[in-house]
Amino acid sequence: VVAVATYTVRGTVRDAGKVGIDHVSIIHNGTTLLADLGSSTTVNLPWSLDIAPVNGVNTLEISAVDNDGIVSATIVRSFNF
């Protein structure tokens, strides 16, 4: 049995329309995951997700969806592990 280390990815989503954030979606190497949303009294909402990187290149595609169903632009980040 091999233990897989997890790493926490964190960010902040801005609720510019002030309708609320439904979810933050992270596609990690082709697998779609949903981040845990924090709480905030401002339009900036923190989110986080624990991921298990694979050896080599890892790619994250991050987007947010508000309560009206509007999807943000996708941010793509890659890193080597």
Side-chain angles (χ1 to χ4, degrees):
V1 175
V2 176
V4 177
T6 60
Y7 292 86
T8 303
V9 179
R10 299 176 199 270
T12 303
V13 62
R14 181 173 173 79
D15 183 16
K18 299 181 182 173
V19 298
I21 300 299
D22 183 64
H23 66 274
V24 173
S25 172
I26 294 110
I27 301 173
H28 176 223
N29 296 336
T31 301
T32 301
L33 307 163
L34 297 179
D36 295 322
L37 296 177
S39 61
S40 175
T41 58
T42 68
V43 296
N44 297 315
L45 185 67
W47 59 265
S48 65
L49 177 70
D50 291 336
I51 62 167
V54 298
N55 287 330
V57 177
N58 287 261
T59 301
L60 302 172
E61 301 171 52
I62 305 163
S63 60
V65 179
D66 71 13
N67 287 330
D68 283 343
I70 298 171
V71 181
S72 71
T74 300
I75 296 172
V76 179
R77 297 290 184 264
S78 294
F79 63 94
N80 288 309
F81 182 74

